[in-house]
Amino acid sequence: GNSVTQMEGPVTLSEEAFLTINCTYTATGYPSLFWYVQYPGEGLQLLLKATKADDKGSNKGFEATYRKETTSFHLEKGSVQVSDSAVYFCALILNYGGSQGNLIFGKGTKLSVKP
Amino acid sequence: KAGVTQTPRYLIKTRGQQVTLSCSPISGHRSVSWYQQTPGQGLQFLFEYFSETQRNKGNFPGRFSGRQFSNSRSEMNVSTLELGDSALYLCASSLTSGSVADTQYFGPGTRLTVL
């Protein structure tokens, strides 16, 4: 089946540290890939996306590259801030000949950044 | 432009009752999807509506139902509530249902507690 696997949390980093959250996927077709972020007590916010192989999504210093050969979409940031503390979700959506399916999410990775 | 709004934000119900949650999409968006978020199961897709028609449905029992109105606002209903229905219910809207490039934008969610 179609699924997303992301690294287990929680991840605790010091401010200005480098962040990597691993995400791999299994899909029967050609998915679009997303990272969403959820701050405490809030809904999901789109962080970045990539719709085809080798695309790089970027936003607010975060970036991820769609790697078809390794079926991965790892999230990276060069220097994290306390305000980046949140839960990060990797997700995919399958392309059904032009129709949009539903988002399939990973379990989420909780990031805590200490000053 | 206003984001996705969900009402109410918090609900407390008892087993056996029914509940209706409301979602207003971003202006101009015609597709509304619903997701359930629990600590154990993570984020799971419930259903999607477009132009007042259910286009896609997740693996949930028939106690979960929804509808969409001509102004694209959507409601979901859960009948005969069970303790396991306690969750954060998230609504997401997108411009259309037919474009794989469309991004789903999420509301803040409705926190349902079943006692």
Side-chain angles (χ1 to χ4, degrees):
Chain A
N2 305 303
S3 64
V4 174
T5 302
Q6 58 184 105
M7 62 187 286
E8 296 282 334
V11 173
T12 302
L13 296 173
S14 298
E15 207 165 22
E16 299 184 1
F18 183 85
L19 168 72
T20 300
I21 301 178
N22 290 337
C23 171
T24 56
Y25 67 88
T26 302
T28 54
Y30 302 98
S32 295
L33 301 173
F34 303 82
W35 278 101
Y36 281 87
V37 58
Q38 186 174 36
Y39 298 101
E42 298 183 13
L44 300 175
Q45 297 178 23
L46 177 68
L47 185 58
L48 52 84
K49 70 177 184 180
T51 58
K52 61 183 188 297
D54 299 324
D55 269 1
K56 177 186 281 189
S58 60
N59 186 27
K60 299 181 182 179
F62 290 90
E63 57 182 38
T65 301
Y66 188 147
R67 301 286 187 200
K68 188 179 177 184
E69 63 276 12
T70 54
T71 61
S72 65
F73 193 55
H74 305 322
L75 182 68
E76 296 182 336
K77 186 176 185 182
S79 176
V80 293
Q81 305 300 313
V82 173
S83 57
D84 294 327
S85 297
V87 181
Y88 292 80
F89 292 91
C90 184
L92 68 81
I93 201 163
L94 284 164
N95 310 326
Y96 294 115
S99 295
Q100 186 184 77
N102 55 279
L103 282 164
I104 297 168
F105 289 90
K107 292 290 189 184
T109 302
K110 184 176 182 179
L111 170 67
S112 295
V113 181
K114 306 298 183 186
Chain B
K1 191 181 270 191
V4 178
T5 58
Q6 293 187 245
T7 56
R9 291 292 310 275
Y10 302 92
L11 265 178
I12 299 175
K13 293 285 186 179
T14 56
R15 277 182 299 172
Q17 287 187 309
Q18 73 153 13
V19 66
T20 299
L21 312 181
S22 180
C23 170
S24 292
I26 292 171
S27 178
H29 284 195
R30 297 171 62 194
S31 173
V32 173
S33 297
W34 289 89
Y35 295 82
Q36 181 196 64
Q37 185 178 23
T38 60
Q41 299 299 315
L43 281 152
Q44 294 185 283
F45 171 74
L46 281 156
F47 28 64
E48 184 216 352
Y49 286 87
F50 178 76
S51 292
E52 302 178 64
T53 302
Q54 187 182 91
R55 290 179 63 104
N56 200 359
K57 189 178 190 305
N59 189 26
F60 278 82
R63 299 185 297 107
F64 292 81
S65 63
R67 59 178 175 167
Q68 187 180 35
F69 301 94
S70 58
N71 62 357
S72 295
R73 189 177 69 86
S74 177
E75 289 180 348
M76 69 163 280
N77 183 276
V78 188
S79 62
T80 320
L81 284 166
E82 301 177 359
L83 295 178
D85 297 334
S86 294
L88 181 67
Y89 289 89
L90 293 165
C91 165
S93 78
S94 62
L95 201 57
T96 72
S97 180
S99 169
V100 301
D102 276 347
T103 296
Q104 294 188 25
Y105 295 91
F106 284 79
T110 294
R111 172 74 62 186
L112 172 64
T113 302
V114 182
L115 302 176

